[in-house]
Amino acid sequence: MLKFVESDTSGLPIKRKQVAKACPRCRRRKKRCVHENPAGNGSRVGLPVSPSREPQDSQIGGSAHIPSAKPLTAAPLESLPTPDESSSPRGHSSRFVGDLNPEAIFMEATSLCSRRDISTPGGIGVWQSNKSHGHKPAGSPTSNLPLQQTAQDILRSYMLQHGLPRCPPPADFSVLRRIYVEKLDPIFPILSDDLISPPQEEAPRIVLQQMVSLAAAADPEATQHLRLSEQGGLLSRQEFCSSLSNSIQMSIDAGVITDRILLTRILAALSLYMQPTCPEDADVPALFNSRAVHQMHTLGLQMATNEGNEKSQMIRSLFCCLWALDRISAAFYGRACLVHERDVGWDLEDCIRRQPPPFRLLLMIISLLDKVISLYRPANRNEKDVLIELPIFEQMIIDAGATRMSNSCLASLEIFYHSVAILSSQSPAEVTSTALPAPATNSRRSLSADRISSIVGEEFLGQLAYMPIIPYGVSLSLSVSYRKMRHSKVPMFRNRGKQAFRANTLLLKSLDDTFWTAKAMVAMAEQVLQEMDKAVASLAQETGLADSSKKADTVSQGEGSTSQTAASADILLDSSTMQGDNNWALLEAAPDLDVFGYFDPTFDLGAVDAALEGNLDFGQSSNWFDWQQHWG
């Protein structure tokens, strides 16, 4: 026998009296339960209570009146948790269910707190407002497993006692914060909003301070402020950054950060600024980028909101940061892009135009990098040379309205621009490495590589915004000079390439205590230089080029200088004091000799070629720590 239940004007059913049931745990403890009974909120399947009527369950004896959940408004992210709400155990969050999921059909039909997506005509899914019960970490799946909950409680307790106290003293942190705000935040404002309005809870606020300190530690000015306690001594960059990175990672795993927006920001910043310390951590920065993108998709940050939403600009800026970081991670680590424009509801060009000038300039360079990445996808190898046209960097500065940026920030972004320029040309895969490159490719790469070396080593030495884009640019410059040194047939160009290779190695060595990529490159480059000097010295002795050079000098300078020339040659050929520069000049008499062919057979020259030349093809060479294990 069927009985139809009437509905009121708001669409809610006029329900019959129901009995509230407690969960098994509350029944055992003889306590009033608010965990089970979804009708306890005055709604069915999480439906909100109409403000004009009292929840009927409040009339049931023994049940307490529970505040009703706020329904979602038309904008998809109107119900994103504020810091106050998300830090509360009873905070609200939103869940997006696409139309490909059958659940969306029933959710839209049965749940009044669901709202259809409005980012596109007709929408592509449904937003559902969820109310969390109990204090659960934002980044962890909900689970009632006692073992998992116990382990997380232990980890959280340990972090509160030992991990969170690892923070610079106020005097040192003020300097690190100033460095971050002046040099790093304008370029990549991933933490801007939380720096302006810090979290009210102590634990997330400390994690935010740790993240700022970790990012600013790479700057030379921070050297005298790398402390983690008032009484503690000064630490090296590696010790300081390693301690902070471990503490932040453990805080994330312990569920200390319950605000998903803040969690997304911390994951993204950690992906950019953390420095692995062992081979097992080589892929951790890329992993944190993927976790940040996962949170972005969970929150629906890629879906556009209407302009009336007060959080629209914050969501737009955060999405731009994540989109840019995804492209940077693809270039640095040879990873596939995780954020695709076909899945984005925002107008990307409009989003870039609405950003502050320094960040806008970075996004314009990222847009160029996005085009360059398309050259290196597996199915896009062309049969002829490809060269992507790039705008002039000065014009990009004017178009971005960034003429008033500080010189250090502009120079840092210019390094990134020239890095993209080096990668913006591609030769067919079948062209051998010994062939001369295309004229446009050769000139663009050479000029950009020289410009990077000049900015880092001379013009703005110690003044840059020391983000990972700096060692990445120098590494590309090192690879360009290696190819010139490795494959040139003219001794003058080989010697010029060697000088540039040595200069870039010294630049990377000055950064290797901060950036792990620089450390891996330096270990390999130094061994290459040592083997080259040994090979040149051996060739000069075996072929008699040193003697012929001495005879030529004798004829041109006269008999009076013979003894000085011989003495100089003997000093240059002494393996204990030889630098190898003048020995290369001795090979001008035999330009066809290949120095690399005389390397020690035990030296893995093929691995060097694969690493350094593959560095110009970021889809082929990404595991830096394999190199560090092999060479360091």
Side-chain angles (χ1 to χ4, degrees):
M1 182 176 179
L2 301 177
K3 180 178 181 180
F4 293 93
V5 181
E6 298 181 358
S7 301
D8 59 15
T9 56
S10 65
L12 290 172
I14 302 177
K15 294 188 290 185
R16 293 164 289 184
K17 186 173 181 180
Q18 299 177 356
V19 179
K21 294 182 179 181
C23 68
R25 182 180 179 186
C26 291
R27 283 202 298 268
R28 290 194 303 268
R29 299 175 60 197
K30 306 297 183 183
K31 298 290 184 180
R32 185 166 51 199
C33 177
V34 293
H35 304 98
E36 301 291 338
N37 185 26
N41 291 335
S43 62
R44 177 170 51 86
V45 197
L47 297 179
V49 178
S50 174
S52 61
R53 55 182 288 181
E54 291 292 327
Q56 296 187 16
D57 287 332
S58 64
Q59 301 175 2
I60 301 176
S63 65
H65 174 72
I66 303 173
S68 61
K70 295 181 181 180
L72 280 172
T73 59
L77 288 178
E78 291 284 330
S79 62
L80 276 178
T82 63
D84 294 339
E85 292 172 340
S86 60
S87 61
S88 170
R90 305 191 63 80
H92 291 72
S93 63
S94 300
R95 184 167 69 99
F96 181 76
V97 181
D99 285 339
L100 293 177
N101 189 340
E103 181 184 357
I105 300 175
F106 298 98
M107 183 184 299
E108 187 176 15
T110 60
S111 178
L112 291 183
C113 66
S114 64
R115 292 293 182 270
R116 175 152 285 276
D117 163 55
I118 62 169
S119 61
T120 58
I124 60 173
V126 175
W127 286 91
Q128 171 74 25
S129 177
N130 294 330
K131 189 168 184 179
S132 59
H133 300 290
H135 185 84
K136 295 189 181 296
S140 304
T142 303
S143 176
N144 294 323
L145 296 177
L147 182 60
Q148 179 180 352
Q149 186 63 42
T150 301
Q152 194 164 50
D153 291 342
I154 294 174
L155 181 58
R156 186 182 298 113
S157 175
Y158 176 82
M159 285 304 304
L160 294 175
Q161 295 180 13
H162 302 283
L164 292 179
R166 299 179 187 174
C167 196
D172 294 314
F173 176 72
S174 63
V175 177
L176 297 174
R177 187 182 189 279
R178 177 182 57 79
I179 293 173
Y180 179 83
V181 171
E182 291 179 356
K183 294 186 176 182
L184 304 180
D185 191 68
I187 297 177
F188 191 71
I190 187 66
L191 301 176
S192 289
D193 292 335
D194 291 296
L195 287 175
I196 296 174
S197 301
Q200 295 185 358
E201 285 193 353
E202 182 181 11
R205 186 169 62 252
I206 292 177
V207 174
L208 179 64
Q209 293 178 1
Q210 291 175 333
M211 192 65 251
V212 170
S213 303
L214 175 65
D219 195 275
E221 187 182 351
T223 304
Q224 300 302 319
H225 302 278
L226 304 182
R227 298 182 181 86
L228 292 179
S229 64
E230 291 282 0
Q231 297 77 20
L234 200 63
L235 301 176
S236 66
R237 275 200 185 93
Q238 186 174 0
E239 293 173 338
F240 183 83
C241 294
S242 176
S243 180
L244 287 182
S245 295
N246 293 335
S247 180
I248 296 172
Q249 292 181 56
M250 292 180 65
S251 297
I252 294 174
D253 294 337
V256 170
I257 304 175
T258 57
D259 181 356
R260 282 186 181 268
I261 294 292
L262 177 59
L263 177 63
T264 305
R265 296 183 186 276
I266 295 296
L267 288 170
L270 194 60
S271 172
L272 184 63
Y273 294 115
M274 76 159 295
Q275 301 300 321
T277 57
C278 62
E280 289 75 16
D281 293 342
D283 60 342
V284 171
L287 173 63
F288 281 120
N289 171 66
S290 65
R291 292 181 64 179
V293 173
H294 165 77
Q295 294 293 336
M296 180 194 77
H297 289 153
T298 301
L299 292 170
L301 301 179
Q302 78 279 10
M303 307 305 297
T305 62
N306 56 23
E307 293 301 325
N309 188 351
E310 59 181 9
K311 299 179 182 178
S312 179
Q313 181 58 33
M314 180 273 291
I315 298 170
R316 185 186 289 111
S317 298
L318 180 54
F319 166 75
C320 287
C321 286
L322 297 171
W323 174 77
L325 178 65
D326 187 51
R327 269 53 186 174
I328 292 175
S329 181
F332 285 9
Y333 308 110
R335 298 278 172 155
C337 294
L338 302 178
V339 183
H340 301 280
E341 292 186 23
R342 61 180 178 267
D343 301 322
V344 173
W346 296 100
D347 181 346
L348 196 55
E349 293 184 359
D350 180 65
C351 288
I352 294 176
R353 284 193 299 267
R354 291 172 179 262
Q355 303 309 312
F359 186 38
R360 189 186 313 154
L361 182 58
L362 172 68
L363 293 175
M364 292 170 66
I365 300 175
I366 294 292
S367 298
L368 299 178
L369 177 61
D370 193 33
K371 297 179 181 178
V372 170
I373 290 175
S374 63
L375 295 178
Y376 295 88
R377 291 194 169 103
N380 288 1
R381 283 290 182 181
N382 295 278
E383 297 181 356
K384 59 181 180 179
D385 292 314
V386 177
L387 185 69
I388 294 181
E389 293 297 328
L390 299 180
I392 300 174
F393 184 64
E394 183 178 358
Q395 186 62 49
M396 293 180 66
I397 296 175
I398 297 173
D399 294 342
T403 54
R404 296 182 180 273
M405 279 180 63
S406 65
N407 290 338
S408 61
C409 291
L410 277 178
S412 303
L413 290 177
E414 185 181 3
I415 291 172
F416 193 34
Y417 167 83
H418 285 297
S419 301
V420 176
I422 290 175
L423 298 169
S424 62
S425 58
Q426 183 192 70
S427 298
E430 63 270 11
V431 174
T432 61
S433 59
T434 57
L436 289 175
T441 299
N442 182 65
S443 59
R444 175 178 288 188
R445 284 185 169 180
S446 297
L447 292 173
S448 293
D450 292 343
R451 195 75 195 99
I452 290 173
S453 301
S454 175
I455 293 173
V456 178
E458 300 175 11
E459 189 176 0
F460 288 92
L461 179 63
Q463 305 175 37
L464 297 169
Y466 282 90
M467 302 172 67
I469 59 177
I470 306 301
Y472 182 68
V474 180
S475 297
L476 290 174
S477 180
L478 181 79
S479 295
V480 172
S481 59
Y482 177 80
R483 292 199 65 172
K484 185 181 300 183
M485 175 181 66
R486 179 77 167 88
H487 302 298
S488 178
K489 300 298 184 183
V490 180
M492 180 183 71
F493 290 112
R494 288 204 300 261
N495 192 41
R496 185 180 297 170
K498 182 188 178 184
Q499 298 301 326
F501 186 81
R502 175 171 291 171
N504 286 314
T505 301
L506 293 176
L507 288 179
L508 285 173
K509 192 171 182 62
S510 67
L511 302 172
D512 67 354
D513 65 334
T514 304
F515 300 102
W516 60 283
T517 54
K519 187 175 183 179
M521 296 290 289
V522 165
M524 181 165 40
E526 287 181 338
Q527 292 196 29
V528 171
L529 288 172
Q530 293 174 6
E531 289 296 323
M532 288 178 62
D533 289 342
K534 292 178 183 178
V536 171
S538 176
L539 276 172
Q541 290 178 342
E542 292 178 3
T543 60
L545 292 177
D547 296 333
S548 63
S549 176
K550 285 186 285 186
K551 292 178 181 178
D553 291 340
T554 301
V555 172
S556 62
Q557 298 178 7
E559 295 180 357
S561 60
T562 303
S563 60
Q564 295 180 358
T565 306
S568 300
D570 291 339
I571 294 175
L572 289 172
L573 294 177
D574 184 2
S575 60
S576 61
T577 60
M578 175 186 58
Q579 296 298 322
D581 294 337
N582 293 328
N583 281 339
W584 275 68
L586 300 177
L587 296 181
E588 293 181 2
D592 294 334
L593 284 176
D594 181 15
V595 176
F596 290 88
Y598 290 85
F599 272 25
D600 189 330
T602 60
F603 186 82
D604 195 348
L605 184 59
V608 175
D609 290 342
L612 292 180
E613 294 189 9
N615 197 33
L616 300 174
D617 185 348
F618 50 72
Q620 300 294 327
S621 180
S622 60
N623 198 342
W624 300 83
F625 261 114
D626 278 354
W627 307 350
Q628 186 177 13
Q629 280 186 304
H630 190 76
W631 302 105

